[in-house]
């Protein structure tokens, strides 16, 4: 078994029902990011050999949390960098639409070109600040972009104000965080739900990694401060 096959196996381990198209898309991510990272550094060069665990699977923790999503669900990746978590999620949810935004143009360029190589038709990109995006979404997703209170404030004008009758969780912010979040959660004016990613994935890397869900509408799941 070659290294790339070993890497993709960590995805199929937790998502065994991927279609042939999804499996193919995930399988070529390593080569695409290796090639682009040699030109434009969008992830740590030391992380390219751990792309599937530390970037792809980490991004897909959001999919484990959200579960199935209804057709037409809209998600904004705020501060997408080189395409995480947005690109893996766009592969996982072909029935949903993703909009990725970042302030750094070269990172948006890399993410755009990778999406083109994958022929993802459910994804769009924007170079700019969140305040320049005037669309509304069911979920804003993000990975280690800013503190939770700042992220809630930045995402607030992009999340639709309604109770979602079709998805498991009502519209809100779903972000990937690490470490002790007590101070950030205490400083956040909205109710939150904190989920250990180790509940989904057994690898050591995820022991300190978490998902924080902040609902912006009446929620089907009870959250607490």
């Amino acid at each position: 078994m070659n290294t790339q096959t070993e890497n993709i196996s960590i995805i199929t381990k937790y998502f065994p029902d991927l279609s042939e198209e999804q499996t193919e898309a995930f399988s070529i991510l390593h080569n695409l990011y290796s090639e682009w990272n040699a030109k434009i550094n969008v992830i740590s060069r030391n992380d390219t050999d751990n792309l599937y665990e530390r970037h792809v699977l980490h991004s897909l923790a959001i999919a484990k949390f959200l579960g199935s999503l209804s057709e037409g669900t809209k998600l904004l990746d705020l501060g997408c960098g080189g395409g995480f978590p947005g690109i893996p999620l766009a592969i996982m949810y072909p029935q949903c639409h993703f909009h990725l935004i970042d302030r750094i143009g070269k990172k948006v360029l890399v993410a755009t070109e990778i999406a083109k190589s994958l022929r993802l038709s459910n994804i769009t990109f924007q170079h700019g600040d969140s305040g320049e995006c005037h669309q509304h979404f069911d979920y804003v997703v993000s990975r280690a972009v800013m503190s939770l209170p700042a992220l809630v404030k930045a995402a607030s004008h992009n999340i639709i104000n309604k109770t979602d009758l079709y998805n498991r969780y009502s519209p809100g912010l779903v972000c990937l965080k690490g470490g002790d979040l007590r101070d950030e959660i205490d400083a956040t004016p909205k109710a939150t739900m904190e989920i250990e990613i180790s509940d989904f994935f057994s690898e050591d890397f995820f022991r300190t990694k978490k998902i924080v869900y902040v609902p912006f509408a009446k929620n089907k799941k009870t959250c607490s401060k």
Side-chain angles (χ1 to χ4, degrees):
M1 182 183 292
N2 62 38
T3 301
Q4 187 166 323
T5 304
E6 290 175 345
N7 282 333
I8 190 64
S9 69
I10 200 172
I11 307 301
T12 56
K13 171 184 175 181
Y14 294 106
F15 298 93
D17 297 324
L18 295 174
S19 68
E20 183 178 342
E21 291 79 8
Q22 288 170 316
T23 302
E24 175 63 19
F26 282 125
S27 71
I28 63 177
L29 278 179
H30 184 272
N31 284 345
L32 288 173
Y33 274 103
S34 294
E35 291 171 5
W36 273 104
N37 218 47
K39 305 172 189 175
I40 300 173
N41 189 20
V42 293
I43 62 174
S44 167
R45 296 190 189 279
N46 294 328
D47 259 3
T48 53
D49 290 337
N50 298 296
L51 180 82
Y52 285 101
E53 178 182 276
R54 298 186 181 181
H55 295 278
V56 181
L57 190 61
H58 189 203
S59 298
L60 293 177
I62 292 175
K64 280 293 188 184
F65 171 67
L66 289 176
S68 61
L69 293 177
S70 60
E71 184 173 355
T73 297
K74 297 173 65 178
L75 300 94
L76 170 67
D77 182 352
L78 182 57
C80 66
F84 298 104
I87 286 178
L89 291 173
I91 297 171
M92 184 61 63
Y93 292 115
Q95 79 281 15
C96 301
H97 176 73
F98 291 81
H99 187 65
L100 277 60
I101 186 170
D102 200 279
R103 294 176 178 177
I104 302 175
K106 65 181 181 180
K107 292 186 176 182
V108 175
L109 170 65
V110 172
T112 300
E113 291 303 317
I114 286 176
K116 285 181 181 177
S117 296
L118 295 171
R119 297 182 179 179
L120 294 176
S121 61
N122 62 335
I123 191 167
T124 54
F125 296 89
Q126 183 177 351
H127 173 211
D129 186 86
S130 62
E132 299 174 80
C133 179
H134 305 297
Q135 301 176 51
H136 291 91
F137 302 86
D138 297 282
Y139 302 104
V140 171
V141 298
S142 189
R143 187 174 77 143
V145 171
M146 60 185 78
S147 71
L148 185 60
L151 190 54
V152 168
K153 182 178 180 180
S156 61
H157 70 281
N158 291 119
I159 297 175
I160 57 176
N161 184 21
K162 72 172 185 178
T163 300
D164 194 322
L165 302 177
Y166 303 104
N167 292 316
R168 182 182 182 191
Y169 292 96
S170 295
L173 169 69
V174 185
C175 59
L176 297 167
K177 287 278 191 177
D180 187 345
L181 301 176
R182 285 176 292 183
D183 289 345
E184 289 189 41
I185 289 174
D186 287 344
T188 301
K190 288 183 173 290
T192 63
M193 180 186 291
E194 185 178 356
I195 304 95
E196 302 285 344
I197 295 182
S198 58
D199 290 347
F200 304 129
F201 307 139
S202 62
E203 285 72 19
D204 289 345
F205 174 74
F206 298 108
R207 286 186 178 179
T208 61
K209 307 297 182 185
K210 299 170 184 177
I211 294 170
V212 177
Y213 166 58
V214 182
F216 277 65
K218 186 177 179 182
N219 189 24
K220 301 172 185 179
K221 296 287 182 177
T222 301
C223 294
S224 60
K225 281 291 289 176

